[in-house]
Each structure stands twice: as C-alpha cells, then as structure tokens.
Amino acid sequence: MTIPQTMRQVEFTGPGGPEVIKLAEAPVPQPGPGQALIRVLAAGINRPDCLQRAGAYPPPPGETAIPGLEIAGEIVAAGADAGGLQIGDKVCALVGSGGYAEYALAAAPLCLAVPAGMSMVEAAGLPETYFTVFDNMMTRGRLKKGETILIHGGSSGIGSTAIQLAKANGARVIATAGSPDKCDFCLKLGADAAIDYRKEDFVAATRALVGPAGVDVILDMVGGAYIPKNISLLGFEGRLVQVAFLQSSKIEQFDFMPVMLRRLTLTGSTMRPRSVALKAEIAAALRRDVWPLLAQGKMRPIIFRQFPLAEAAAAHALMETSAHMGKIILKVA
Ligand SMILES: NC(=O)c1ccc[n+]([C@@H]2O[C@H](COP(=O)([O-])OP(=O)(O)OC[C@H]3O[C@@H](n4cnc5c(N)ncnc54)[C@H](OP(=O)(O)O)[C@@H]3O)[C@@H](O)[C@H]2O)c1
C-alpha cells in the first residue's frame, strides 16, 4: 500500500475547551529505530486528553503535542529493530501522543495483536485502560483471588476495565458511580455491588457490605475528601491505589496513624511519562495474562459512542459531561 505524504490530524489551537480542537494537514511521520508506523483506523479518547487540551497535562519531553494515547490499525512501515512486527499486522498500541491522526508512530514493544473476534473500534479502547488498570490494580495494588476491591468511578473507561479484570481474577467487586443507570452498568459488567455515591454515603454503604474486615484494595480517581474516607475502609494490609485526583490531590489535615496500625500501603502511578522499557514490561504481562481472556470473550471494552475524527470536539464535550459509560472512540478510517 502507498503511504501518502500528508495526513489529517487533530491539533489544539491553544489551551481551552473543546472549541480549541481543529483538524489540520501534516506530514506523515517516519518510523525511527524500534518504531512502527500505523495506519490508524480508530483511536481511543481518554480523560487525560481533555486535561491536555485544557493545558493541565502537557505531553512529556519527546512526545508531540498531537493528542491521543491509544490506537488500533494496520502496520504500514517499520524502522530497524522493530521486533517481529510485519507490514499488514493488525495491532492496537499504547502511544505517548499522536493517536488522533490518520497515521501514528508506536514503539514496537507496545504494539499488541488485535484480539481475535474484536473490531478495530473495540481494540482502540484497550491499551490505555488495560495498561493503567493492570499496572495499578494488579501490580501495585496486588489484588488477589478472594479479596475485595472498591472501584470508584466504576462506569468510566478505567472503571469498566477494572471491574472486568478484577472479576476475571476472582475478586469481589464493589463499585461507585454517579447515577442508577451507571450503577446498573457496573452490575452488568460483573460488579457484586454498586453504590450511587450521589444518593448514599459510600463509606457507610461499603461498611454495610464488608463489615469490620474492610476492603483489601481501593482503586481511586477522586482524591480530596475521598482520601481519609478510603483509608477508613481499608482492612489490615489494605492498599489504596490512586490513578487520578479529579477532586484534589490535597487534604487539609490527615492523621496517618491507621497507615501504621493497619499496615496499609498508599500508592499510585501515572503511565504516560514512563520509559518504553517500563511500559514494555506491562505489555508483556498483558500479552501473557490478559490478552487470552479478551480473545476468549471473557472481557470486552464497552464502547459507548464513536465519532469521526473531524468530530473530536464533540467527543471531548461528551466526555466532559460524564454522561458516558465505558469508552468513547474516534473512528479515523
Ligand atoms: N494514572 C494514570 O496512568 C491514568 C491513565 C488513564 C486515566 N487516568 C485517570 O483516570 C480517570 C478516569 O479516566 P477515564 O479516561 O476512564 O475517564 P472517564 O471515563 O471520563 O471517567 C471519569 C469518571 O470519574 C467519575 N467520577 C467523578 N467524580 C466521582 C466521584 N466522586 N465518585 C465516583 N466517580 C466519580 C465519573 O463518573 P460520574 O459522572 O458518575 O461521577 C466518570 O465516570 C481520569 O481522572 C484520568 O485522568 C489515569
């Protein structure tokens, strides 16, 4: 297939709301050593893209300003040392930037085969949440079979992946979400209980479910006032894993005594600034432990809505209403 000289891509004219999103024409990038050039068929939208657009999450050094952290498509060229990748391979990939475009570069170790039976639109919704959830919930959170996990934001892209992965690993799942419909969504994904945090105090509701033993792991994206509440719910050896601070990363006062008395672990991480080598370790674990489950249909990305590339602004606006459940995807070709 002939690779064109130029392509369409999404750019931000400056920090701001969805109105700063514009389509532009740009040269098709050239793959360097260890990279593949992918003809993008679909790209996932993630909340960090909205933060980047607003000027609150700049791309790390070495990444382009073009948004987009995950793609699915076909390999059309590869640089030297691009592993066993072949032209024509159908892959999804975690990218540090540049996903909202007709062509994008991906590091070879971060390209994963599209699971059997999965569409490109579905596959584009895999990398960002699976890399993030696997690393935070399974590796940092050390979630084990038979343990109980509380997942905040259960209907989000991250939450919908976490619920399914936790259930596939034999955990008991309690999710929080912001409406009865979102709670139903979490239950249909396999959560054992769902708490509408706008109607109920999630601490009391969780305590009623788990009793004095508390929960083993909490996956949180809210922070702020949730921090002491989460810690109050952790049992002995409990782990609080922070993937975002939608409310705040600060609290006025906190007594850390429970951390010592109940031997708690407070942890968290960001994915994007990590080196390719570190992300490649997660990719290898995903290939081994998670991709077979996707191929068997035991887990699936839940696609709420897809938009053409030219309507990326509408896709961001939808994400910022938080009306969605699961993933929002850009259909690029
Ligand atoms: N650390 C990392 O490496 C990493 C990677 C990717 C994403 N993230 C972060 O993870 C979060 C989710 O990302 P996403 O792409 O999945 O975005 P998303 O689908 O837009 O999810 C955001 C969710 O937050 C929920 N929420 C807000 N306040 C809440 C509260 N008080 N209690 C419970 N849920 C609440 C919203 O649901 P309601 O409307 O129901 O409140 C919504 O479902 C974002 O903050 C993102 O920045 C972190």
Side-chain angles (χ1 to χ4, degrees), residues 128 214 300:
E128 178 68 10
R300 272 202 116 68

Side-chain angles (χ1 to χ4, degrees), residues 265-278:
T265 302
L266 311 186
T267 183
S269 73
T270 55
M271 184 57 57
R272 193 185 195 188
R274 282 190 237 187
S275 66
V276 169
L278 287 176

